[in-house]
Amino acid sequence: MVDYHMTTDLGQLGPDGRYMEQEDDWDRDLLLDPAWEKQQRKTFTAWCNSHLRKAGTQIENIDEDFRDGLKLMLLLEVISGERLPKPERGKMRVHKINNVNKALDFIASKGVKLVSIGAEEIVDGNTKMTLGMIWTIILRFAIQDISVEETSAKEGLLLWCQRKTAPYKNVNVQNFHISWKDGLAFNALIHRHRPELIEYDKLRKDDPVTNLNNAFEVAERYLDIPKMLDAEDIVNTARPDEKAIMTYVSSFYHAFSGAQKAETAANRICKVLAVNQENEHLMEDYEKLASDLLEWIRRTIPWLEDRVPEKTMHDMQQKLEDFRDYRRVHKPPKVQEKCQLEINFNTLQTKLRLSNRPAFMPSEGKMISDINNGWQHLEQAEKGYEEWLLNEIRRLERLDHLAEKFRQKASIHEAWTEGKEAMLKQKDYESATLADIKAQIRKHEAFESDLAAHQDRVEQIAAIAQELNELDYYDSPSVNARCQTICDQWDVLGSLTHRRREALELTEKQLEAIDQLYLEYAKRAAPFNNWMEGAMEDLQDMFIVHTIEEIEGLIAAHEQFKSTLPDADREREAILGIQNEAQKIADYNHIKLASGNPYTSVTPQTINSKWEKVQQLVPKRDGALKGEQDKQQSNERLRLQFANLANVVGPWIQAKMEEIGRIAIEMHGTLEDQMNHLKQYEQSVINYKPNIDKLEQQHQLIQEALIFDNKHTNYTMEHIRVGWEHLLTTIARTINEVENQILTRDAKGISQEQMHEFRASFNHFDRDHTGALGPEEFKACLISLGYDVENDRQGDAEFNRIMAIVDPNNTGMVTFQAFIDFMSRETTDTDTADQVIASFKVLAGDKNYITAAELRRELPPDQAEYCIARMAPYQGPDAVPGALDYMSFSTALYGESDL
């Protein structure tokens, strides 16, 4: 027989798993207090029966029914869930002692040291020892596992009671005896967990019997806690038995422990769902912002791709002004929205990684790459639209110039041809004298010479009309009609000239020669007249230039023309001298001359009139050229002003881009220090904005002056704008990377020293300072941090696994953010899908499905409805109406990778 008579105690377990001596230990030398013995008998008997009934039996007398050891062994099997050695069925004392010893051996195997309790005493029905043994069993199997904040079993049970009853008036639990006499503490425990069972506000502290009976009856009826004491047992005792009260209260603890587990599970689910709801809100914000930005791009691109030209310069300049408004007013906010969208996307992905969620995949067509592609298409369309506007303005300017030139030449030609057709149709030679006929022949020859001289003008008119058609001039139909009329009339004049010459030659044999002097006058006057008409046309000709060199070329040509005027004047005087000589001969010989020269219509008055016109047009031409020269000089100053500032701003932006690249790699100090430094750096860049605005103002002056090129600088305003926007975006992205590192550090509990170590390792192997590591650099970095990725089969497999995590898109580069995410996952732990599934299983009462009612009972309303709306119906063989599949839902929260 095992000897249990050793100096040990029946106390409760301490924090180290060993039984501690308790303050009111069993009195081994004196009999139990009769009242306490009665309470313990009743309580321990009810507690034993609450377990024995699971095996289909019970006890009536606690010190008699355990004497043969059979029910004692059965009790231990029920409460431990383990099988004890096979009992002996004999009726002899030795059989009973052996059975009790088997029970006592089992109790000792659970770490319990029994004091002064032997099998013989139990078999002999020793009440004191039997109750002591049962109390030891209760301590080991009902109270030992109770632990609140690492306290001992008794202290943990007391702390649990204090916390649960703290909100209730008139309840102050300080012990396991007199604190329970008025019954309010029992009712408070029930009401705290099942408020629908107790009307606590109607209980009175001065009616303990009613209070106790109410709590015991409710516990027995609804909580399956047998009635272990009568109200009078407690009320009529000055100090109720502590062990009886602890036994009774432990039954309440175990009855409500499931609710405690459900509360813990619900808290875990609430936490997970709160993170998921916040992430979904961020996803919805991203989707809306991305949709709005893409919609704006979709609406704007057709406007920028519209190449329908306007008919007038004014309308095209209005289009250019609308484009400037788009650049100044409408586009800058969208640039900020695009930058903010990228920042929000990166922040969301960081939060998803930190909460062990799958990466966010935007809707089709709303990826960052889709937005970048749309933005690139927008900027291409924008660049093409601006080039088209400027080219179209140049074209319209050219068209206006050509149209005016066409009208001038056409008007001059039409004025020259006026009456020519009627003149050629005359039959005056039929009644003319010989002299008249000879004069008419000479006059016709002069006309033919004049007609040939005008051939160039007609060809010029046709060429200008053709060019207007090729340049898509809006009033081409009227130009073509007028040109066609001139050409048709020219053909008619040619035909009539030919027929009149034949008629004159037919009668030429009968006529005498016409005065050679008049003939010479006519021949010299006609080309001189044409020269003057050409000069007047050239002096009145419109011109368009874009550079100082072009206007200086026109001025040089004009000076060359003026140098020919003295020779022309001498030719004029010679022609007029012929006319004067003819008049002198006629006067001398008393010849009556016919009015006018019969060989030409160009009179001396005509020559003098046109010569005076030429003399008047020369200074006007001087003034126009001088004005254009001043304008081009002003334009050259605008070019120099823009170039001087652009040649400063452009290199400054390039230098800042290189500087922010170095700062992003070489930053030291805490992440907060780096963040402050980057924001100060960002502010210093923003303070440079007035220089950009000043350059925009100078660029607007250049565009208003229609200046299209600038040889003094390689920088255009478009280059400056793109560089400025790229600089601001790069700084914002760098700040966002540091913010994400702070999020990662705080969420994963990474120390500042670890962050410095990660940064130092990364920078050490980033020898080309690109901000990313190649595969070999990354492998060397991992080896320096203690990872076994050497060049063998196992090391290569491990390295490939890590590369699949940090470079899922197979870009061949590992960014610092991906490196930090990997190291944070390697050093910290997060909620998993399995943990969430286990939590739902607790709420579902260990079922494979859960109902909407259970979700609404255990979770806050908004999160309960969130789950109900997203859980699919459960399809298992044990499904019932309304069953929901929480396993698939939990897996979806984390993605299939957690399976």
Side-chain angles (χ1 to χ4, degrees), residues 323 580 686:
F323 181 72
N580 292 334
I686 292 174

Side-chain angles (χ1 to χ4, degrees), residues 47 50-51 54 79 137-147 153 157 160-161 164 189 193 223-226 228 246-262:
W47 183 86
S50 70
H51 293 287
K54 298 175 184 177
I79 62 178
I137 293 172
I138 292 173
L139 278 176
R140 173 59 183 83
F141 293 101
I143 300 178
Q144 173 185 337
D145 294 334
I146 298 174
S147 178
L157 183 61
W160 179 80
C161 294
K164 295 299 181 179
L189 284 178
H193 295 89
L223 304 179
D224 198 26
I225 298 175
M228 299 182 182
M246 283 182 66
T247 302
Y248 214 154
V249 172
S250 69
S251 298
F252 281 86
Y253 173 86
H254 289 293
F256 294 133
S257 63
Q260 184 70 26
K261 293 178 181 178

